[in-house]
Amino acid sequence: MKLHQLRAIVAICESGSIQEASRLLHISQPALSKGIKELEAELGVPLLVRSNRGITLTEYGERLVRRARLILEEVRRARDEIETLKGVMDGNVSIGVSPVTPGAQFIASLNRYRKRFPKVQVKIHELRPSKLMEGLREGLLDLVLTSLPASRSSDGFHWTELFTQPTVLAVRKGHPLRHARSLGELRDQEWLLQDSLEQSRVGWMFETYQVEPPERVIECASVVLFSELALNTDAVSYWSLRVLDHVRKLGQELETLDLVEQVPPMNISLVCRDQELMTREAKALTDELVYAYKNPHAPKASLLLNPAP
């Protein structure tokens, strides 16, 4: 199994065709096809299925691509690490953030990091919580800030809780169940979450209080559409209190529910891989983030604009 073969199958998976993959990799189509055939012969299984609709991966191919992405990212990181040891830090670091990540501390840590390492290329990706963990597993992200609870998706990663965010459940103004007092009253309602019920802390809430979970759930990763849906539908939405306050400041209104059950907090955790597998660039950014969120004396950036939920 060679690196060029792994690059080939990943390129085919992402582009959907051998022709496009060969263009992206700057090699001929016959050479690309030969590399895949040799890989299939070595493994003893088919990796690709060719049809009128194009090329798709077999189950074997999907498993291999998942590992291949991680291997190729590790090779890139190894090269970056060697270059860093040869001189100043000028590699790159990719961080994934949840839409509810508190901005002031994040910006303060990023500002300090940029001053210390101006040549490092920083890439920030805002993704739904489950996609953050997927990017971390596949090596596409160096570290993430997520609202997921560690017990649901630890996957052997290192978790550091950074920020505690009180939360509320809310409904649109005038909602017929705006005076509901228990979770059971809301079970038959439609719910609006940023991730699946299984991944969300709301799912944990139903489990904890032994209430049957709702059957109708809207998952919305778009921060703008989430606000609009919460304001203009009958769905019960789950908010960090900090973000909900920003929405109200913009002149929009939602009514918070006062339930006997406690709504679980939407805590933000820093998740990264083993320290020995992280690049120096990623380690340095991790240190800045921990300092910004955990140290009470750390300076905070002042936000000129209100962040979206």
Side-chain angles (χ1 to χ4, degrees), residues 176-195:
L177 290 179
R178 61 189 180 279
H179 300 303
R181 292 283 295 152
S182 69
L183 197 58
E185 295 177 66
L186 303 171
R187 185 214 170 257
D188 293 332
Q189 295 296 301
E190 195 159 50
W191 284 68
L192 177 63
L193 306 174
Q194 290 180 338
D195 221 296

Side-chain angles (χ1 to χ4, degrees), residues 296-309:
H297 304 296
K300 305 293 187 292
S302 59
L303 297 179
L304 300 179
L305 298 175
N306 291 325

Side-chain angles (χ1 to χ4, degrees), residues 280-297:
R280 289 174 64 189
E281 291 86 350
K283 287 179 184 177
L285 181 54
T286 296
D287 291 341
E288 288 288 358
L289 288 166
V290 172
Y291 173 75
Y293 282 95
K294 300 287 283 185
N295 192 316
H297 304 296

